[in-house]
Amino acid sequence: MALRSRRRRATTALLPVVLTGALALAACSSGGSSATQGQSSAGKTLVIDTSFDLKTADPGRTYEPTGLIVDKATYDTLLTFEGADVTKPVPSLAESYEMSPDGKKLTLKLRKDATFADGSPVTAQDVFFSLSRVRDMKGTPSFLLDGVEVEETDDSTITLTSKEPNPALPYILPNPALGILNSKVAKENGATANPDDKAEQYLNSASAGSGPYTIESFNVSSQVVLKKNDKYWGAKKPFYDKVVIRNVESATQKLNVQRGDSQVALNLSGDQVSGMGGGLQVKRTTSAYVFFLLANQDPGVSKVTSNAKFVEALRKGIDYTGLLELAGEGSTQAAGIIPSMFLGALPADQATKRDVEGAKAALKESGVANPTVKLEYPSELTVNGLSFQPLAERIQANLKEVGITVEITPAPVTTALDNYRNGKEELGLWYWGPDFPDPSNYLSFLPGKLVGLRAGWKAGADKELEAAGEKAAASVTDDDRKQAYTDVQTKLNASGPFIPLIQPGQNIVTAGSVTGLEYHPVWTINVADLGAK
């Protein structure tokens, strides 16, 4: 997240909980490499190892990656996505949905057969309360429904109305933070649709959802145990009787999955999964994270990086192929700031190519002789096992060949974040992860917007690009939106201060018997999709 990405959760998203000491190993398999060998008198058990970024299981408050995995399994949403496909939302608790031609009103018809874990029906009242609670409680995910009015039109219809066109809304509703609560149970345990809500403690110990699993136990520092919802209403019933999600650092994750102490490892780097044998399955795919370089456009911060020709020299001077070699298998070059799997992403053939002579010519035209600039980045942060340090060093070496001296200045995340958020970095190396799988999330990179301002790029700095952004935001149909966001990125690549670099790979290892695993850019994996051969 370009650090904000998940707006109010930027810090937690970038600071995975690093915990030491013994981790509870309850409910593990008996040691075989097959998931089905986790069977006992308690039934089939799946053990998932991950590095916890977890604060709560309350869907009105959660926005950390591990919490989204948990809530995806325990709470159904109005809409969802099928497998890894994020191009089209599909019905879940809603049996159908329709967006008005102006993109301001979304009407959802609810299913009549959906039930909560206690067997009670899911009603329009539950939906109204749940969405109003997320919006008005002012928790981390509240911004997802900023400016959205929720109306219980009738017993089976919910209408969501926005003042401005909001065609992204169907792509936002699948977020597990918008899971639907059993309002009666939640209210009995302190839930309200305002900041005085006191239901979190209860929701961390029990489930009030309609999902395929319920919470058996929850510990933010060690493990979460889910148990099968025997009353699950959906056509596809959960396969495992119990799912244990454990907080384990990546080196131990590798050992555990190799020796059969777990069946899924979520946080291994490309190097760690290289040559993985023993009948294990390795799922390699491109993640939705985008690493980028920013050049500050505020002359008060840097008269060098605010020079347009200097930025052109940067863009042409970087060896993108070399960065991919560092990132490992599954990684791809980022053609634009919007990830390759989202609507409006630029095709791979539009990705910038290195042009050393062109970079030298642009630097000469800039009038800046023998420039020296500082490149800042978070020193201890890794993304999917990829550290910022080797990327920064490779960029430093690339630009030296062009005639630009780069002083790399790593700093602890908190220090680096302060400089980045306050727009004080001369050059910055960061990444952005999606709040939701829609291109509108990336308008933050335009002048006067959140990330634009972090690059010292004020409103009015590029009126043509800003007008293109306004057109994209107001576009409603998929065809119009695709073209509009393509235009925005093409202009951003040509004249903006951001240089998209790579999308790192996502590597997930499973036992050979595990089936149904697909990487998803919002909730990582859907536990309910997993089965066994």
Side-chain angles (χ1 to χ4, degrees):
M1 318 101 272
L3 294 164
R4 171 220 73 148
S5 175
R6 318 217 183 225
R7 195 175 289 180
R8 300 180 184 88
R9 81 162 177 115
T11 302
T12 55
L14 294 170
L15 293 170
V17 179
V18 180
L19 297 151
T20 58
L23 297 175
L25 299 180
C28 297
S29 76
S30 58
S33 61
S34 168
T36 56
Q37 289 180 345
Q39 294 182 34
S40 66
S41 59
K44 301 182 291 293
T45 296
L46 178 73
V47 180
I48 300 171
D49 283 349
T50 187
S51 178
F52 272 20
D53 189 351
L54 177 66
K55 293 175 65 178
T56 180
D58 182 343
R61 292 181 168 90
T62 195
Y63 214 67
E64 293 69 41
T66 311
L68 294 178
I69 295 173
V70 171
D71 279 7
K72 176 61 181 172
T74 52
Y75 291 90
D76 288 316
T77 48
L78 291 171
L79 304 177
T80 188
F81 292 106
E82 191 68 40
D85 184 4
V86 295
T87 62
K88 184 173 178 58
V90 298
S92 181
L93 290 176
E95 65 179 13
S96 65
Y97 67 98
E98 182 180 3
M99 179 68 77
S100 63
D102 62 3
K104 295 180 180 181
K105 182 177 290 188
L106 180 65
T107 303
L108 302 109
K109 291 289 185 181
L110 304 183
R111 301 179 62 100
K112 296 181 179 179
D113 58 344
T115 58
F116 290 108
D118 66 359
S120 60
V122 179
T123 69
Q125 290 181 345
D126 297 308
V127 175
F128 175 81
F129 174 79
S130 300
L131 298 187
S132 299
R133 177 176 181 261
V134 173
R135 182 195 60 202
D136 298 338
M137 192 170 60
K138 302 306 178 187
T140 303
S142 294
F143 77 94
L144 293 172
L145 296 177
D146 278 352
V148 177
E149 292 299 322
V150 184
E151 180 184 359
E152 182 186 342
T153 310
D154 58 42
D155 290 345
S156 63
T157 308
I158 292 290
T159 302
L160 305 179
T161 305
S162 307
K163 291 182 179 179
E164 302 296 331
N166 193 1
L169 197 50
Y171 296 83
I172 294 172
L173 289 177
N175 193 298
L178 301 180
I180 304 305
L181 292 161
N182 183 327
S183 59
K184 181 177 183 295
V185 171
K187 289 176 182 177
E188 288 173 350
N189 289 277
T192 62
N194 61 61
D196 294 330
D197 177 275
K198 295 179 174 61
E200 182 177 11
Q201 183 176 353
Y202 171 77
L203 295 173
N204 282 344
S205 63
S207 299
S210 62
Y213 287 90
T214 61
I215 293 175
E216 179 173 294
S217 65
F218 182 88
N219 187 303
V220 296
S221 63
S222 59
Q223 70 176 22
V224 177
V225 180
L226 307 176
K227 62 181 179 181
K228 180 170 65 174
N229 174 9
D230 291 323
K231 298 179 179 179
Y232 184 57
W233 61 272
K236 184 178 181 181
K237 307 301 180 183
F239 177 82
Y240 293 98
D241 297 296
K242 185 173 291 188
V243 176
V244 182
I245 305 171
R246 306 187 302 192
N247 185 18
V248 181
E249 63 93 24
S250 63
T252 306
Q253 286 184 37
K254 180 178 179 179
L255 291 174
N256 285 347
V257 76
Q258 285 179 318
R259 62 194 178 196
D261 288 339
S262 67
Q263 289 76 49
V264 182
L266 293 182
N267 302 108
L268 302 185
S269 69
D271 288 341
Q272 287 175 313
V273 302
S274 180
M276 187 77 73
L280 297 171
Q281 302 175 98
V282 179
K283 179 80 173 181
R284 292 186 179 93
T285 186
T286 300
S287 74
Y289 296 127
V290 175
F291 278 78
F292 64 91
L293 194 67
L294 71 82
N296 203 302
Q297 297 301 287
D298 183 353
V301 174
S302 176
K303 293 181 179 178
V304 177
T305 61
S306 57
N307 184 307
K309 282 295 179 179
F310 177 83
V311 177
E312 181 182 340
L314 291 179
R315 196 183 308 277
K316 292 180 177 179
I318 293 171
D319 179 7
Y320 302 93
T321 302
L323 295 181
L324 282 179
E325 291 172 357
L326 292 174
E329 287 190 57
S331 303
T332 60
Q333 183 180 346
I337 207 65
I338 297 175
S340 56
M341 66 283 292
F342 290 2
L343 177 76
L346 290 177
D349 60 8
Q350 287 192 32
T352 304
K353 295 178 174 58
R354 194 181 195 203
D355 177 5
V356 174
E357 293 307 312
K360 289 179 178 179
L363 183 60
K364 185 176 181 179
E365 288 182 62
S366 75
V368 182
N370 303 315
T372 297
V373 291
K374 291 182 178 181
L375 173 60
E376 297 185 45
Y377 57 92
S379 56
E380 74 272 36
L381 180 64
T382 61
V383 179
N384 294 354
L386 181 61
S387 170
F388 285 69
Q389 181 77 21
L391 296 176
E393 291 174 347
R394 184 65 62 91
I395 291 169
Q396 180 188 46
N398 292 164
L399 296 179
K400 184 176 181 180
E401 297 175 21
V402 174
I404 299 170
T405 299
V406 175
E407 295 179 359
I408 56 176
T409 55
V413 171
T414 51
T415 302
L417 269 175
D418 283 344
N419 288 339
Y420 167 64
R421 288 172 172 166
N422 294 323
K424 299 302 182 185
E425 292 182 331
E426 194 170 22
L427 289 179
L429 177 61
W430 291 97
Y431 81 111
W432 180 274
D435 293 306
F436 45 88
D438 187 81
S440 60
N441 196 211
Y442 296 81
L443 294 175
S444 295
F445 285 80
L446 299 190
K449 305 299 184 182
L450 184 76
V451 189
L453 290 173
R454 291 175 177 178
W457 210 20
K458 298 177 182 178
D462 191 328
K463 293 182 178 180
E464 182 181 353
L465 177 57
E466 292 167 67
E470 291 174 0
K471 180 179 178 181
S475 299
V476 176
T477 69
D478 283 352
D479 287 344
D480 288 346
R481 299 182 80 223
K482 180 179 180 180
Q483 185 59 55
Y485 282 102
T486 297
D487 290 346
V488 166
Q489 288 187 98
T490 301
K491 290 180 171 63
L492 189 59
N493 280 354
S495 61
F498 301 104
I499 302 171
L501 301 172
I502 59 171
Q503 289 177 232
Q506 180 81 38
N507 304 288
I508 300 175
V509 176
T510 71
S513 59
V514 174
T515 62
L517 187 141
E518 294 286 352
Y519 164 72
H520 196 279
V522 178
W523 49 74
T524 311
I525 61 169
N526 184 354
V527 171
D529 282 345
L530 302 184
K533 297 175 183 177

